[in-house]
Amino acid sequence: MAREFKLPDIGEGVHEGEVVKWFVKEGDPVKENDPLVEVMTDKVTVQIPSPTTGSILQLRAKEGEVVTVGSTLVVFGEPGEAVPTSPSPTPPPVTAPTGAPPKDARKPGPAPPATGEILAAPAVRRLAKELGADLARIRGSGPRGRITEDDVRRASKGPATVAVTPKQAMEPVAAGAEERIPIHGLRKRIFEKMAKSKGTAAHFTYVEEVDMTQLVHLRDRLKEAGERKGTKLTYLPFIVKATLAGLREFPTLNASVDEGRGEIVVKRDHNIGIATATEEGLTVTVVHDVDRRDLWDLAKEIERLATAARDKRLSLQDVQGSTFTITSLGKEGGIVATPIINWPEVAILGIHKIEKRPVVRDDQIVIRDMMYLSCSFDHRVVDGHVGAAFVQSVRNFLEHPALLFVEAG
């Protein structure tokens, strides 16, 4: 029996996604969890696996097309089975008999669009509007003359496609004096989510200094063991374990706010989001079930997620379900910052660079490896003394890392 597969809810307030690449074509057999389609949202690019084993009867979206959550992406079934009528007002593509190529594939060349017809995906139309490009004056390089984002960007550089208001025409502007960058894609999503967080959560930030000397020595001694295991051991796995220990002591920080129902939702799972810098912007990847992972498993998973984020190969699982977030700029981490909460969570931990500084120990000035922690909280949920106590707990585990393997599990 034919089964429709709809674009799933990717979470984080995402309502639509653009089909970047199909890994299958109509008539192909697929197995459950085989790569099905790559979808780009305003937040992240993810690969969606096949939810079932069967045959591809029909693809309901083309590469470059924007589809909403809940709309049908693909129809599965058995070879030769009839395809159900698409609920979309746009007629579905003609499906050739099983084993035969689609009708379009038998044509000697791409068919040009009808006179006056503009073939462009919604995302391309939005980009054209943002750049002031006239789609009617752009020759598409895609299939059947479809206009791509690259076509729009190339055309927008020319004077013929840039919209100029009468006021702009009267005001001379020096060439090269400014550059206008459209806000779209991941950057637009960051705009919206940061504004939502700042406009909703009552932020307050608590900063503490941490003596990382013991942890620096421990990590140095374990680096070689990590290399033998094929893992680059950074400080993040230790920080994740210290954060887990702190969250166990103060469970109300491992929570989110349900604004609609007026409830604080304390999570029993411990899924730590790691803010990862990519070319498109900041992406929060998620290490699931950190309480069930040892140090090496954490290191491997953090490294895998960072690579997948940079290569745009994240799965839905990789970006969903965080209960608490850690953000770091690594060597560029600076001294202190005021991180913005990954809404609807209630707290976020910012970690900064480790550097040698003179400090006083036993009335003596000594050189130690020091680092600052900056933790922001939603003051509606987290009282000041609770937030401070949480940071002190994390600090204690970082300064005495042997405790991580005794109490943090």
Side-chain angles (χ1 to χ4, degrees), residues 201-207 253 324 339 341 345-349 374-384 386-391:
H203 282 67
F204 83 93
T205 301
Y206 180 87
V207 180
L253 272 71
F324 185 95
I341 297 167
E345 295 169 15
V346 300
I348 184 170
L349 179 66
S374 301
C375 202
S376 293
F377 308 92
D378 186 342
H379 215 334
R380 301 175 305 167
V381 178
V382 183
D383 293 333
V386 175
F390 166 76
V391 174

Side-chain angles (χ1 to χ4, degrees), residues 54-109:
S55 183
I56 303 295
L57 296 184
Q58 188 181 69
L59 302 180
R60 289 272 178 90
K62 299 178 181 179
E63 292 183 357
E65 184 176 343
V66 173
V67 292
T68 58
V69 170
S71 59
T72 301
L73 280 176
V74 62
V75 180
F76 295 95
E78 300 300 327
E81 186 177 356
V83 179
T85 304
S86 169
S88 169
T90 303
V94 177
T95 305
T98 303
K103 289 184 178 181
D104 283 352
R106 294 196 295 267
K107 296 179 181 179

Side-chain angles (χ1 to χ4, degrees), residues 367-379:
I367 303 300
R368 307 288 287 182
D369 292 290
M370 305 300 294
M371 181 186 77
Y372 285 102
L373 295 176
S374 301
C375 202
S376 293
F377 308 92
D378 186 342
H379 215 334

Side-chain angles (χ1 to χ4, degrees), residues 53-241:
T53 296
S55 183
I56 303 295
L57 296 184
Q58 188 181 69
L59 302 180
R60 289 272 178 90
K62 299 178 181 179
E63 292 183 357
E65 184 176 343
V66 173
V67 292
T68 58
V69 170
S71 59
T72 301
L73 280 176
V74 62
V75 180
F76 295 95
E78 300 300 327
E81 186 177 356
V83 179
T85 304
S86 169
S88 169
T90 303
V94 177
T95 305
T98 303
K103 289 184 178 181
D104 283 352
R106 294 196 295 267
K107 296 179 181 179
T115 303
E117 181 184 3
I118 298 175
L119 295 181
V124 176
R125 294 178 184 272
R126 287 201 301 270
L127 178 62
K129 184 177 181 180
E130 291 166 353
L131 296 180
D134 184 358
L135 289 175
R137 303 175 67 177
I138 299 176
R139 183 177 181 84
S141 62
R144 300 183 65 244
R146 180 177 292 275
I147 299 172
T148 67
E149 289 191 4
D150 286 341
D151 295 331
V152 173
R153 290 191 177 96
R154 282 194 295 267
S156 68
K157 296 178 181 179
T161 60
V162 178
V164 180
T165 66
K167 181 179 180 181
Q168 290 173 329
M170 296 174 63
E171 298 175 355
V173 178
E178 64 180 25
E179 177 186 5
R180 291 180 175 264
I181 301 174
I183 301 170
H184 62 85
L186 179 59
R187 179 54 54 190
K188 182 178 180 181
R189 178 59 185 152
I190 292 172
F191 260 62
E192 294 170 348
K193 190 163 187 178
M194 293 299 99
K196 177 72 172 178
S197 180
K198 290 293 287 185
T200 304
H203 282 67
F204 83 93
T205 301
Y206 180 87
V207 180
E208 181 56 281
E209 189 176 40
V210 182
D211 188 336
M212 298 284 284
T213 305
Q214 287 191 35
L215 184 51
V216 168
H217 291 164
L218 177 60
R219 183 247 184 179
D220 287 343
R221 294 182 63 180
L222 293 177
K223 280 174 64 177
E224 187 175 331
E227 292 173 359
R228 290 197 299 268
K229 294 175 178 289
T231 302
K232 181 180 179 182
L233 185 61
T234 66
Y235 291 106
L236 263 177
F238 297 98
I239 293 171
V240 168
K241 289 185 74 69

